[in-house]
Amino acid sequence: MQDELRSRVAGVAVGTAVGDALGMPLEFGPARPADRLVREMLPGRIPAGSFTDDTEMALALAESLLTNRPLNPEDLAQRFVTWIESHPPDVGIHTASVLWRFADGEPWETAVAAVQAHNPGSAGNGSVMRCWPVALAYWDDLDRLLDDSVLQSRITHPHPECNAGSAFVNATIYHLLHDLSPENAVAQALDDAAVPAALRAVIIAAPGKDRRDLPNSGWVRHTLESAVWGLLTTYNFEDAVVNVINLGNDADTAGAVVGALAGAAYGLDAIPRRWRTALRGEFPLGSGRIWHTADLVTLAEQLAGEGVWGCGSVGVWECGSVGERKLSTR
């Protein structure tokens, strides 16, 4: 069981980045025909295999959690400022509006309230795309997981559906890590996260949708609809992610969310080797530090801590793993 948990924890961190990178070249495009699905890493606005702002913001959240638990919103806000000041090539409009106000010195609560007041219905997917580090940090503490999932959302996306959506994604990951089936994990997470009725109805209906009826836009409802559809209508990591990214539109974000969920469901070794090998990304931007699969596995280990690995704060590879750098041989 412990090896299975390790694999699933690592699968979340690697799976989300893989989904992000696979979706990157399909972002803003139309849905692909069902008989011509993209199944490989392709170049887009950045090189093939590269993750995007979805994973970059998650890494900022992860580093904040490694420094502060419970989550310190001021620390996270400053890390987001450092990130946006590095001029990432793609930032959501709402997110950018909030972060530049942070950069100008406004307290985070004042800044986000002002941006939300300008467009009260704004409910984008910018917080659900990055929320997964909270699930790994609190893999054994559901109450704290729910609290910090909401808090990390409130810093940029305070709409109730964004807050609940982040809590829902992480609660689903929690239950998948604890060996619930995908169907049962989703059902339990809906209750744990107190998902509002309208969003709850969308999520419950998602598995019955035809792919032609999935807009996959940047609205949090559409992202969660696509991700749950991908998770609950397939039986392995590859099909879950491939089916979602080929919906086009906000393909990288939906890919990142379903990648985290499917990684928790199926584990690291279920992620195709060709994708793990191709995965890369720079963070912090401009630093020259290039992240690969092994780095994301190490990050997952650090977030989850000794409770998963049971052998000190470093060295998952020294804890009995042999041969290729992987967590289990199943």
Side-chain angles (χ1 to χ4, degrees):
M1 175 58 186
Q2 200 72 1
D3 284 346
E4 186 72 20
L5 178 58
R6 295 172 188 170
S7 179
R8 289 178 175 178
V9 165
V12 173
V14 176
T16 188
V18 163
D20 182 13
L22 282 163
M24 175 269 295
L26 304 178
E27 186 182 21
F28 306 130
R32 299 276 301 182
D35 60 348
R36 286 186 286 158
L37 301 182
V38 170
R39 307 189 77 93
E40 307 301 332
M41 299 281 194
L42 299 177
R45 52 188 168 79
I46 49 180
S50 300
F51 57 66
T52 77
D53 59 307
D54 301 60
T55 301
E56 292 159 9
M57 293 196 78
L59 293 178
L61 173 57
E63 291 186 346
S64 187
L65 284 164
L66 290 175
T67 305
N68 302 283
R69 292 190 210 178
L71 182 66
N72 181 321
E74 287 77 20
D75 178 80
L76 181 57
Q78 184 55 52
R79 290 175 191 273
F80 286 164
V81 168
T82 300
W83 172 73
I84 201 166
E85 287 181 339
S86 69
H87 301 288
D90 184 23
V91 187
I93 295 172
H94 176 95
T95 298
S97 297
V98 172
L99 297 189
W100 284 119
R101 293 181 80 119
F102 292 174
D104 287 340
E106 284 191 52
W108 73 267
E109 288 175 297
T110 304
V112 73
V115 173
Q116 193 71 26
H118 182 72
N119 184 7
S122 178
N125 56 18
S127 60
V128 298
M129 74 185 191
R130 67 175 189 241
C131 66
W132 59 267
V134 175
L136 300 191
Y138 298 115
W139 67 272
D140 59 348
D141 189 334
L142 182 60
D143 289 338
R144 289 188 178 180
L145 177 152
L146 295 170
D147 289 344
D148 273 3
S149 296
V150 170
L151 179 56
Q152 69 81 33
S153 181
R154 287 177 51 220
I155 291 170
T156 56
H157 291 71
H159 191 282
E161 290 195 1
C162 301
N163 296 341
S166 296
F168 165 76
V169 168
N170 282 340
T172 303
I173 292 172
Y174 174 93
H175 291 299
L176 290 168
L177 294 178
H178 289 84
D179 209 29
L180 264 64
S181 69
E183 293 80 7
N184 289 338
V186 166
Q188 185 61 55
L190 284 169
D191 291 337
D192 294 334
V195 176
L199 177 58
R200 183 186 185 97
V202 168
I203 291 170
I204 290 172
K209 288 289 189 77
D210 187 279
R211 71 187 301 270
R212 293 169 295 185
D213 298 324
L214 296 168
N216 204 36
S217 77
W219 190 13
V220 67
R221 286 190 194 180
H222 287 166
T223 297
L224 294 178
E225 177 182 54
S226 296
V228 170
W229 172 80
L231 179 69
L232 298 188
T233 60
T234 59
Y235 300 95
N236 59 72
F237 181 93
E238 181 167 356
D239 287 344
V241 173
V242 165
N243 285 355
V244 169
I245 63 164
N246 281 278
L247 297 172
N249 208 343
D250 206 353
D252 58 338
T253 295
V257 176
V258 74
L261 297 174
Y266 302 112
L268 180 65
D269 291 345
I271 303 172
R273 184 190 305 272
R274 67 188 189 280
W275 293 348
R276 286 182 277 151
T277 300
L279 183 63
R280 67 183 305 280
E282 184 183 26
F283 184 82
L285 293 177
S287 69
R289 181 186 178 189
I290 305 301
W291 290 64
H292 298 284
T293 291
D295 302 297
L296 290 164
V297 173
T298 298
L299 177 65
E301 170 193 356
Q302 293 169 338
L303 285 166
E306 293 185 35
V308 172
W309 271 267
C311 55
S313 60
V314 296
V316 62
W317 311 120
E318 288 76 44
C319 300
S321 297
V322 296
E324 184 191 0
R325 290 167 71 91
K326 61 183 181 179
L327 297 181
S328 71
T329 55
R330 70 178 182 88

